[in-house]
């Protein structure tokens, strides 16, 4: 089982690890700062380096069981099992995913009561689909999102038991994807502090430490994807 380092430190850009296995499918290591694709967030990319070689990571994905598989180019020279390696994230891409994912949680907070039917985190554009008849306007959502971002709310995590989640089903906003079960623990991402946070929901993805770190965003498009399925797209506004 790969030790998942990004859950305790999503800012860990580089770490050492030891190779468990290497094949045409990719490399499995004993510990990883690479996020494995899940829940609409892409897997991380970056580099594996070792004494005498290096290979790019095309994407981190889920392997067998609890392993994280680092996909590598076909025919690449790979480190042998037991080799100590250095794992380096393509940080700019990961950080944009973190900013985007946190912004998407804020978007959820602005549309209370509507289930999320789908979503995709992207470095350049992200989207959320809501079970919603009539969404607010692009302009009002953009204004409200940037007000929450500017308020510099802290973003933190905590853990509850599966039984506690069952007793509070309203915490789950996603209709298409349910929180992973089996370990007995569910990770919650909280935006804001106090008894009434801005947003609180189960999530296994990576996030920034505060809303101010997201930077300015813009809701760019609203699409009708069904009788009550509305797709809302947003981008990061740089500069």
């Amino acid at each position: 089982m790969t030790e998942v380092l990004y859950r305790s430190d999503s800012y860990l850009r580089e770490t050492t690890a030891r190779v468990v296995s290497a094949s045409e499918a990719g490399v499995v290591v004993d510990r990883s700062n690479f996020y494995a694709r899940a829940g609409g967030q892409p897997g991380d990319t970056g580099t594996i380096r070792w004494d005498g070689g290096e290979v790019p990571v095309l994407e981190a994905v889920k392997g067998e069981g609890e392993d994280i598989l680092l996909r590598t180019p076909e025919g690449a020279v790979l480190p042998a099992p037991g080799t100590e390696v250095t794992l380096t994230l393509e940080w700019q891409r990961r950080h944009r995913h973190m900013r985007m994912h946190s912004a998407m949680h804020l978007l959820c907070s602005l549309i209370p009561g509507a289930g999320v039917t789908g979503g995709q985190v992207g470095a350049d554009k992200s989207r959320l689909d809501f079970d919603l008849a009539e969404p607010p306007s692009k302009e009002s959502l953009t204004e409200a999102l940037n007000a929450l971002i500017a308020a510099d709310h802290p973003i933190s995590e905590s853990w509850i038991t599966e039984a506690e989640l069952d007793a509070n089903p309203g915490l789950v906003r996603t209709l298409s994807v349910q929180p992973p079960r089996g370990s007995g623990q569910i990770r919650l991402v909280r935006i804001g502090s106090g008894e009434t946070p801005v947003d609180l929901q189960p999530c296994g993805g990576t996030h920034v430490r505060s809303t101010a770190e997201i930077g300015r965003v813009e809701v760019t498009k609203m699409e009708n994807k069904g009788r009550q399925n509305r797709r809302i797209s947003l981008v990061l506004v740089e500069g």
Side-chain angles (χ1 to χ4, degrees), residues 76-92:
V77 176
L78 303 178
T83 302
E84 185 176 275
V85 296
T86 298
L87 308 178
T88 305
L89 292 176
E90 185 182 337
W91 174 248
Q92 185 177 10

Side-chain angles (χ1 to χ4, degrees), residues 63-107:
E64 295 184 9
E66 298 298 317
D67 286 340
I68 293 177
L69 177 68
L70 307 178
R71 291 183 52 244
T72 52
E74 184 177 352
V77 176
L78 303 178
T83 302
E84 185 176 275
V85 296
T86 298
L87 308 178
T88 305
L89 292 176
E90 185 182 337
W91 174 248
Q92 185 177 10
R93 177 176 179 269
R94 154 67 91 78
H95 191 236
R96 288 181 70 89
H97 288 161
M98 290 163 60
R99 293 163 62 198
M100 278 286 204
H101 203 154
S102 297
M104 291 166 74
H105 278 228
L106 290 179
L107 180 58

Side-chain angles (χ1 to χ4, degrees), residues 93-181:
R93 177 176 179 269
R94 154 67 91 78
H95 191 236
R96 288 181 70 89
H97 288 161
M98 290 163 60
R99 293 163 62 198
M100 278 286 204
H101 203 154
S102 297
M104 291 166 74
H105 278 228
L106 290 179
L107 180 58
C108 276
S109 76
L110 295 174
I111 308 181
V116 176
T117 58
Q120 183 64 50
V121 180
D124 298 315
K125 181 175 73 172
S126 298
R127 64 168 175 83
L128 278 176
D129 297 348
F130 291 93
D131 181 15
L132 185 66
E134 291 297 331
S137 69
K138 291 188 300 182
E139 294 76 16
S140 65
L141 280 178
T142 295
E143 182 179 357
L145 279 170
N146 285 303
L148 288 172
I149 289 168
D152 197 14
H153 295 287
I155 302 177
S156 59
E157 65 173 54
S158 59
W159 295 81
I160 60 173
T161 66
E162 293 179 1
E164 287 174 311
L165 181 65
D166 291 337
N168 295 276
L171 289 173
V172 181
R173 294 291 305 274
T174 53
L175 302 179
S176 57
V177 179
Q178 293 296 304
R181 291 175 176 264

